[in-house]
C-alpha cells in the first residue's frame, strides 16, 4: 500500500497569517491546513466508493488494500474504531494525544502500526518540542507530499522510510524507557500535566493519587476534580498512600501524583510533626527500594521545596529536609529526571 500525504505540517512554532493566538483556541476560519491523502493513486477521505479490490470500513475512514494492508484516518470528532488493527493510522495528536492510547487499547493499533501525526500547526511551540512528544507517543511527522509504502504487518519499507523513522519492518514503536521518571517542580509549574503527557500514548495507565479527596475543603476538592477531569477517561485510578504495594503490584505503567502529599500523609500517620521521625525515614527507605525494583514503568511527580525561604517552624524544616532527601534518592535511581518550570521540562 502506497500512501501519499498532504497538509500534514503547518509549521510548528510558527504562527500563520491571520492568527492572533498562540494555542489556536479560537482560530480564524480556514486556519488549519486541509489534510489530504491519496492511496495507490486514489484520493480520499472518506472512501465512500473505494477503488476495485479495496474495501472501506469505519464509516469510510478506513481502507483495506488487496494485499491486506489496512489504513485508518481518525478525525478528532470520531470514536475510536474496534474492528481490528491497522498498519497505518493518520490522526491529529496535538490536542488529545490520549486518543492514541485509546486506539492501542482497542486493538486498532499496536507497536507495528505506523502512526503519522497530521495537522501539525503552531499549537506546539517548536519543532523540537513536537519531535520530543512524538517520540514519547510513538508517532511520526512527515513533510507534505511524503509517500509512505506500507508492508502489511511489518510497517514501513526501507525505500519510503522518512528521516528519523524506525527501521524497515518496524512500526512507529514507542521510545523504550525510561523505566523510572521523576518530575520535580514548584506549585503550578506544570509538572502534573507533563507527567500525563509522557504517558498519553499508553493503552493502560494507573493514576495513583496520594492526596486527600478534599472532604470539607471546597478549594482542595475543586483541585482534585480538575485533575480527574483532565485525565484520560480510560485510565484507572487508585487513591492510596501505600506506594510500596502500588508499585510492587503494578501491572500497568503508573503515574504517581505526588510524593509531597504522600510524605505529608506519612508524617500524619506517625505523628512525626513534633514526635519521633524515625518511621518517616523507614517509609522513605521502603519507597526507594520499591522504586528501584518497579516491575512496570513509573512516572512520579514531586515538589521541589528547596528554593524558597527557610520554613519558620521546626516541623516545616523537617518536612522540607525529608522531601528533599527523598527526591535526591529517587533521582539517583531514575533513568530520567526533569525540573518543570513554567510548563517546560528541563532535563537534569
Amino acid at each position: 500500500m502506497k500512501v501519499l500525504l498532504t497538509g500534514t505540517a503547518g509549521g510548528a512554532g510558527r504562527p500563520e497569517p491571520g492568527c492572533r493566538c498562540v494555542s489556536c483556541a479560537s482560530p480564524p476560519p480556514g486556519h488549519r491546513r486541509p489534510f489530504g491523502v491519496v492511496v495507490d493513486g486514489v484520493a480520499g477521505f472518506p472512501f465512500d466508493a473505494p477503488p476495485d479490490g479495496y474495501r472501506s470500513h469505519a464509516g469510510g475512514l478506513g481502507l483495506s488494500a488487496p494485499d491486506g494492508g489496512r489504513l485508518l484516518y481518525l478525525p478528532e470528532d470520531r470514536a475510536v474504531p474496534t474492528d481490528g488493527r491497522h498498519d497505518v493510522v493518520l490522526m491529529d495528536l496535538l490536542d488529545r494525544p490520549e486518543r492514541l492510547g485509546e486506539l492501542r487499547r482497542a486493538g486498532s493499533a499496536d507497536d507495528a502500526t505506523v502512526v503519522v501525526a497530521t495537522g501539525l500547526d503552531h499549537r506546539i511551540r517548536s519543532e523540537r518540542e513536537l519531535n520530543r512528544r512524538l517520540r514519547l507517543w510513538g508517532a511520526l511527522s512527515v513533510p507534505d507530499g511524503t509517500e509512505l509504502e506500507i508492508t502489511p504487518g511489518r510497517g514501513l519499507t526501507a525505500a519510503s522510510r522518512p528521516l528519523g523513522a524506525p527501521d524497515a519492518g518496524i512500526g512507529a514503536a514507542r521510545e523504550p524507557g525510561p523505566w523510572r521518571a521523576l518530575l520535580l517542580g514548584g506549585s503550578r509549574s506544570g509538572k502534573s500535566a507533563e507527567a500525563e503527557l509522557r504517558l498519553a500514548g499508553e493503552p493502560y495507565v494507573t493514576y495513583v493519587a496520594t492526596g486527600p479527596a478534599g472532604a470539607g475543603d471546597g478549594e482542595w476538592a475543586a483541585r482534585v476534580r480538575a485533575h480527574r477531569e483532565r485525565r484520560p477517561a480510560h485510565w484507572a485510578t487508585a487513591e492510596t498512600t501505600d506506594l510500596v504495594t502500588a508499585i510492587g503490584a503494578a501491572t500497568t505503567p503508573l503515574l504517581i501524583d505526588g510524593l509531597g502529599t504522600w510524605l505529608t500523609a506519612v508524617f500524619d500517620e506517625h505523628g512525626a510533626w513534633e514526635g519521633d521521625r524515625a518511621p518517616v525515614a523507614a517509609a522513605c527507605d521502603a519507597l526507594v527500594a520499591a522504586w528501584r525494583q518497579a516491575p512496570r514503568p513509573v512516572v512520579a511527580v514531586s515538589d521541589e521545596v528547596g528554593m524558597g525561604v527557610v520554613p519558620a517552624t521546626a516541623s516545616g524544616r523537617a518536612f522540607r529536609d525529608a522531601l528533599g532527601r527523598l527526591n535526591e534518592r529517587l533521582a539517583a535511581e531514575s533513568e530520567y529526571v526533569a525540573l518543570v518550570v513554567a510548563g517546560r521540562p528541563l532535563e537534569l
Side-chain angles (χ1 to χ4, degrees):
M1 178 188 291
K2 292 184 178 181
V3 183
L4 176 65
L5 304 174
T6 60
T8 52
R14 295 190 295 276
E16 297 183 14
C19 182
R20 297 172 297 280
C21 59
V22 173
S23 64
C24 296
S26 301
H31 168 70
R32 294 190 190 176
R33 303 177 66 192
F35 169 67
V37 62
V38 177
V39 179
D40 289 342
V42 178
F45 284 101
F47 285 103
D48 295 323
D52 292 342
Y54 289 79
R55 292 181 297 103
S56 65
H57 58 275
L61 297 176
L63 192 68
S64 299
D67 64 2
R70 301 182 85 226
L71 174 146
L72 174 70
Y73 169 53
L74 187 61
E76 294 176 327
D77 60 348
R78 296 295 291 270
V80 169
T82 58
D83 58 351
R85 74 169 295 278
H86 297 83
D87 295 286
V88 58
V89 172
L90 315 171
M91 61 187 302
D92 189 332
L93 290 169
L94 300 192
D95 288 334
R96 295 182 59 201
E98 68 273 11
R99 279 169 53 84
L100 179 52
E102 292 181 44
L103 202 70
R104 287 170 172 149
R105 185 185 181 104
S108 291
D110 58 22
D111 284 345
T113 299
V114 179
V115 180
V116 179
T118 65
L120 300 179
D121 54 29
H122 69 279
R123 285 170 291 166
I124 298 295
R125 58 184 173 262
S126 68
E127 297 285 353
R128 179 179 179 181
E129 175 63 13
L130 169 66
N131 292 332
R132 183 184 78 90
R133 296 189 187 191
L134 294 181
R135 285 195 301 271
L136 290 173
W137 302 332
L140 299 176
S141 64
V142 299
D144 287 353
T146 296
E147 184 176 80
L148 304 177
E149 186 172 353
I150 310 298
T151 301
R154 289 183 53 80
L156 298 172
T157 63
S160 72
R161 189 169 68 250
L163 184 65
D167 291 338
I170 302 176
R174 280 154 285 169
E175 195 175 68
W179 199 256
R180 290 159 289 261
L182 177 64
L183 299 176
L184 307 171
S187 298
R188 291 291 188 248
S189 62
K191 57 187 184 296
S192 294
E194 170 65 20
E196 293 161 12
L197 180 149
R198 294 188 67 84
L199 295 175
E202 296 293 330
Y204 296 94
V205 175
T206 300
Y207 183 100
V208 182
T210 63
D217 186 336
E219 189 273 338
W220 183 263
R223 288 172 179 254
V224 172
R225 185 167 56 252
H227 271 259
R228 288 173 178 166
E229 292 173 352
R230 189 178 66 200
R231 294 197 294 268
H234 65 279
W235 286 11
T237 298
E239 297 182 350
T240 180
T241 57
D242 186 0
L243 294 186
V244 171
T245 298
I247 294 173
T251 58
T252 72
L254 299 182
L255 193 164
I256 299 173
D257 195 356
L259 297 181
T261 49
W262 171 81
L263 189 61
T264 299
V266 172
F267 267 74
D268 288 342
E269 178 184 355
H270 296 287
W273 295 106
E274 304 298 339
D276 181 16
R277 297 190 180 109
V280 174
C284 290
D285 290 343
L287 177 57
V288 172
W291 180 266
R292 183 185 302 125
Q293 300 171 21
R296 291 291 185 273
V298 56
V299 178
V301 174
S302 189
D303 303 287
E304 177 49 64
V305 293
M307 294 182 177
V309 298
V310 177
T313 63
S315 58
R317 292 190 292 272
F319 178 84
R320 177 203 60 182
D321 293 348
L323 186 55
R325 285 192 292 267
L326 178 62
N327 288 344
E328 183 179 3
R329 295 178 65 189
L330 291 178
E333 303 287 349
S334 301
E335 293 86 357
Y336 179 87
V337 183
L339 176 66
V340 183
V341 180
R344 301 201 177 195
L346 306 174
E347 186 172 348
L348 303 179

